[in-house]
Every structure is written in C-alpha cells, then in structure tokens.
Amino acid sequence: MSTTQLFKNPRAAHGFQGRTCSIAAVGSYVPERILTNAELEKMVDTTDEWITTRTGIRERRIAAEGEFTSDMAAKAARRAMDKAGITPDQIDLIIVATITPDMLFPATACLVQHKLGASRAAAFDIEAACSGFIYALEIGQQFIMSRAYNTVLVIGAERLSSIVNWKDRNTCVLFGDGAGAAILQHRPDAHGLLTACMGADGEKAMLLCMPGGGSRIPASTDSVEAGLHHLQMDGKETFKNAVTAMLTAAQEALRRCEIDISRIKLMIPHQANRRIIDAVGDRLGVKPEQVFVNVDKYGNTSAASVAIALDEAVTQGRLQRGDLALLVVFGAGLTWAAAVIEW
Ligand code: ACO
C-alpha cells in the first residue's frame, strides 16, 4: 500500500499549493563529560535513588569550559550536513532554537553561520524553551513550502549547565547540555512534516523562568546575589501542565492526519522526566516499543531534546524512511507542540 493511503496530509486538505517539506537528515552532538547521579550526591542533598525513581535520569552531559552553545550547534549541524550530503554554501537559512544563547545578542544562529562558513544563509534564533525544536521545524517548513528557500538548517542547542543553580537540588539534577540539527528540504518522494500543532499559555510564564538578565531585571550585583540568573521552576505545577498539554497536542496532531496512534512507528517525546513520558504514553495508548526514551543518558536538554532523540532513533534503526513518527514537546512559556512526520 502506498503511504499516501495511510494518512491524510492536512496541508493538502487546506488547499495546500506549495511543496512538501522533509527532513533530509539529522545529526546530534553531546559533550564528552558525563555527570552522574553519584557525583550529584556529593554536590547537593540528593540520592541516586531519588533522581532515578522521580525522573528516570541517571546521567547528563556537561559542556567543557570554553565549549558554548554555538560550538555544540555547529558540531550537530556538520553531522546532519554530512549525512544529507550538502555543503555550507547550499544552506539558505539557519534557525537556532535555544534558551541559552552564547550571548543575548547577536543571535547564536549568526555565530553558527560563521562557524559553518554558510555565508549565503540568513540566520536567526527562536526562543520557545523545550518546545523550540518543533517550533523551529514548523517555521523552517514554511520557507520550503513557499519555495522561498530550498535548504533550511534547524538546530536545537543548549548549554543549560550555565544557567542551572548547582546548589538547588530541585533543579540541578534535571538538566544537561547538547545539540541536535535537521536539514529541511523538499523531497519529491515524501510528505515529510505532515502537521505541527503549537500552543502557548503566557499566563503561566513564571512557573518556569530565569528572571534576571533581561530588560526587566538587568544584571546587577543585587540581581546576581539574589540568584536571579538561574533557572527557576515550580516542578509540580510544570509536571501537571506538561502531561495535559503534550497529550492534547499529540491527539490534535493525530486527528488532523486522521491516523490512529497504532499507525505511529515511534513517539519521540521531550525528554524531561520519565514519569511525564509514561503518563502521556499511557493516556495515548502507545505500546512501550513505540516510545523513544533517552532521558536516562542526557536529562532535559530543552530545545535540543527531541532533536537528539530523533537522531538517535534514526541511527539505531528504530525509524526507517516511510515510517510515521509523532514528536511531542513541552516547555517554559508555557509552550507546547506536537508534529507528525513521515520520516
Ligand atoms: N533529591 C532529593 N529530594 C528532592 C530533590 C532531589 N534532587 N528535589 C526535590 N526533592 C524533594 C523536595 O524538596 C520535596 O521534599 P518535601 O516533600 O520535603 O518538600 C520532595 O522531594 C518532593 O518534591 P516534588 O516537587 O513533589 O517532587 P516531584 O515528584 O514533583 O518531582 C520534579 C519533582 C522531578 C522536578 C518534577 O516535578 C518534574 O519533572 N517537573 C516537570 C519538569 C518539566 O517538565 N520540565 C519541562 C520543561 S523544562 C524547560 O522548558 C527548560
């Protein structure tokens, strides 16, 4: 049976006149340094048992001194470019999703553009926290569909270790560093990104934020002493909102494509907490073998999370060309998104 008979392409249903957009290749990079739960036991009042049972995280990666978000982003991008067989001069646009840019400005995407030598490319950052990679995929897709560009490089990259408060056991055990990248192009033989459902709830913005360093509380001795340049989170409320939003977005994405969850080869959820992944998976009715999990190895890498997971899923052969995947994310903002892709 041809894949076109398996699902509805919602873009086509809405009078879609443009080109389809596919992920030509993905790549990822994580720093060498592994920080284990045993090491965290020596840094804050925690235990490996607590972290493992409450989050599923066993270890995370920490960027080296002098290794910044743009470095990790460029490394992930080169790996994706090698797999897609494209050269830097072919890239029309670079979008970097991150909450840990090298600097507030210029955009990390511009630094990546320089590192790659992609001198033809336009470049900008987007900020949708852990939802950033799917938000960026959807933005990149619009440029391909409209024929404005032929090749878009989308990257999720984070150096969360630089904003985590290493004395706060509530948050420091959860996060890690890394980057994932995707090359978007039109492939005549594939539907690619079938749909992306995105949402936000700014009323709950303060559940998860870094209050200092912006125009509201510029950096000062007082702001630094008050710890306002660290990530802060109401974990319990964030958890509840994450489950509801991820579930709703995933159901909407499946509904738009008129497919049942059983048709999905692999669900690739944001890797924040194993219990969130299980709660969403249970409610959607996925089988364990349909869910990709690597939160145990990397913790929460925010915008890089699903990008790294997608690359690992492809590398491990858990996703083959033609398979359908459901990506679903949730993060600060609050923001959330779900996408169905024909890999
Ligand atoms: N070690 C030991 N005890 C701890 C630790 C720790 N590392 N952290 C918290 N505790 C304690 C708390 O102090 C609390 O103690 P108390 O009962 O004496 O007050 C107890 O454990 C239970 O704390 P809870 O907050 O109820 O723990 P919970 O089961 O909710 O798990 C967690 C906390 C892991 C943070 C969870 O709420 C969570 O994962 N939240 C969602 C995170 C998320 O989804 N983030 C996504 C977006 S991230 C982004 O956008 C950047």
Side-chain angles (χ1 to χ4, degrees):
M1 193 190 287
S2 109
T3 50
T4 49
Q5 292 169 279
L6 291 176
F7 53 79
K8 184 173 100 178
N9 186 335
R11 315 270 184 197
H14 295 293
F16 163 67
Q17 301 281 311
R19 295 184 296 185
T20 54
C21 171
S22 292
I23 302 179
V26 281
S28 65
Y29 168 82
V30 290
E32 265 176 46
R33 163 87 168 99
I34 296 172
L35 179 66
T36 63
N37 290 351
E39 287 173 89
L40 282 166
E41 285 180 353
K42 296 181 194 133
M43 294 162 63
V44 287
D45 180 15
T46 191
T47 60
D48 172 47
E49 202 261 334
W50 191 95
I51 303 171
T52 311
T53 52
R54 305 308 292 164
T55 72
I57 302 166
R58 295 184 181 279
E59 57 191 42
R60 67 287 294 143
R61 300 300 178 103
I62 303 295
E65 208 178 316
E67 182 176 44
F68 306 117
T69 299
S70 62
D71 299 309
M72 294 186 278
K75 283 180 182 159
R78 278 195 204 96
R79 289 178 181 175
M81 288 161 63
D82 285 349
K83 287 189 218 163
I86 65 157
T87 51
D89 58 298
Q90 283 177 268
I91 301 170
D92 298 305
L93 172 66
I94 301 171
I95 308 173
V96 173
T98 186
I99 55 168
T100 47
D102 284 27
M103 295 168 260
L104 266 183
F105 74 91
T108 297
C110 294
L111 307 177
V112 173
Q113 185 240 30
H114 178 62
K115 283 180 176 149
L116 295 177
S119 50
R120 278 188 52 251
F124 63 85
D125 288 359
I126 70 137
E127 205 270 69
C130 303
S131 308
F133 188 69
I134 295 186
Y135 266 64
L137 280 183
E138 176 68 351
I139 296 165
Q141 150 144 317
Q142 304 302 322
F143 287 99
I144 303 286
M145 280 167 50
S146 66
R147 293 183 160 80
Y149 291 135
N150 288 322
T151 303
V152 176
L153 169 60
V154 171
I155 306 170
E158 301 285 10
R159 192 185 200 275
L160 293 166
S161 59
S162 60
I163 60 165
V164 159
N165 178 355
W166 291 103
K167 293 183 176 140
D168 175 16
R169 71 172 184 177
N170 291 294
T171 51
C172 77
V173 303
L174 303 173
F175 298 96
D177 301 334
I183 307 286
L184 301 186
Q185 287 180 325
H186 165 66
R187 286 203 340 251
D189 57 330
H191 287 259
L193 290 154
L194 291 167
T195 194
C197 307
M198 307 189 294
D201 181 1
E203 197 182 342
K204 295 180 181 153
M206 301 317 276
L207 281 184
L208 178 51
C209 64
M210 189 176 89
S215 60
R216 192 182 287 205
I217 307 175
S220 67
T221 314
D222 287 350
S223 73
V224 173
E225 268 171 16
L228 301 179
H229 302 268
H230 292 306
L231 176 157
Q232 300 177 356
M233 177 171 75
D234 177 339
K236 238 186 202 9
E237 273 309 302
T238 306
F239 189 110
K240 278 190 256 169
N241 280 279
V243 174
T244 310
M246 289 169 79
L247 181 65
T248 310
Q251 286 170 333
E252 172 61 12
L254 294 171
R255 192 197 59 75
R256 283 192 198 172
C257 299
E258 295 183 1
I259 52 166
D260 183 77
I261 188 70
S262 60
R263 286 265 168 81
I264 294 291
K265 178 75 186 301
L266 204 57
M267 176 174 97
I268 305 180
H270 175 48
Q271 309 283 319
N273 184 319
R274 179 70 204 233
R275 290 186 297 135
I276 294 177
I277 296 171
D278 289 345
V280 174
D282 284 351
R283 287 166 176 76
L284 276 176
V286 293
K287 299 191 181 86
E289 63 270 22
Q290 279 177 288
V291 186
F292 191 84
V293 179
N294 64 7
V295 70
D296 51 321
K297 293 192 294 180
Y298 305 129
N300 182 350
T301 57
S302 191
S305 170
V306 278
I308 295 171
L310 176 60
D311 183 43
E312 290 201 338
V314 171
T315 305
Q316 292 169 16
R318 292 189 60 187
L319 207 53
Q320 310 278 347
R321 286 294 181 197
D323 287 342
L324 294 179
L326 171 67
L327 313 185
V328 54
V329 292
F330 175 85
L334 302 177
T335 54
W336 57 85
V340 177
I341 61 170
E342 185 199 24
W343 173 253

